[in-house]
Amino acid sequence: MDTTHRFVEFVSNHWALALAFVGLTILIIFNELRRRLDGTQQLGPHAATLAMNAETTVVLDVREDSEYKQGHIANALHIPLGQLAKRLPELDKYRDRPLIAYCRTGNRSGSAARLLHKHGFSTVHNLAGGIVAWQNANLPVTKK
């Protein structure tokens, strides 16, 4: 009972810290549930490489033009996230193929992956960590 009393005393003395802890815990759980239920999967750089080599996977770069010109994954299609919704018809021919979306760190491409899945693309992945993780894994980029 002493432990429970000390816990209650701690929470009452540090209510803001306890509230922040509870809030962050709820946000983490919500984010994880949303990620699992959104119909897309996260692939790390090496898993993405295996998918690209084993299947007819399409790679989609959703970064801005200036970022794309600094270096991108070879043979990646380039459609900035802001233009993706109106340029979906360009991707219709890839609807039944596995697709890996990426951006700089994986945040924008997560949104792109959800949008593509919502519009009927069968297998959509997000490159976890984006091009940064790709380069940190010493995988090649091209400027062509």
Side-chain angles (χ1 to χ4, degrees):
M1 195 67 167
D2 185 46
T3 305
T4 304
H5 176 70
R6 293 183 69 181
F7 177 74
V8 171
E9 182 181 353
F10 176 83
V11 170
S12 64
N13 289 336
H14 306 284
W15 61 269
L17 182 63
L19 186 62
F21 175 76
V22 170
L24 286 173
T25 302
I26 290 169
L27 287 174
I28 289 169
I29 291 169
F30 174 76
N31 190 46
E32 187 63 22
L33 286 173
R34 183 182 55 86
R35 189 182 66 76
R36 288 179 185 250
L37 297 174
D38 68 6
T40 63
Q41 293 180 327
Q42 300 282 324
L43 287 182
H46 294 293
T49 302
L50 292 173
M52 287 181 227
N53 291 336
E55 304 175 38
T56 57
T57 302
V58 177
V59 180
L60 176 65
D61 188 322
V62 297
R63 297 176 299 156
E64 296 300 319
D65 293 336
S66 60
E67 295 173 290
Y68 181 81
K69 290 175 185 172
Q70 292 174 1
H72 55 275
I73 297 172
N75 301 318
L77 301 173
H78 178 237
I79 302 176
L81 180 60
Q83 300 173 16
L84 185 59
K86 66 182 173 190
R87 292 179 61 185
L88 280 174
E90 294 176 37
L91 299 173
D92 276 343
K93 58 187 168 189
Y94 307 116
R95 190 170 291 279
D96 295 322
R97 290 172 58 183
L99 194 142
I100 300 173
Y102 77 93
C103 63
R104 184 174 181 279
T105 61
N107 291 324
R108 288 176 284 175
S109 54
S111 297
R114 286 188 293 278
L115 176 72
L116 291 165
H117 181 75
K118 180 178 157 185
H119 282 88
F121 287 79
S122 58
T123 307
V124 184
H125 304 285
N126 181 29
L127 180 60
I131 193 81
V132 170
W134 182 269
Q135 290 173 314
N136 287 341
N138 292 318
L139 294 168
V141 295
T142 184
K143 293 185 180 182
K144 293 181 183 178

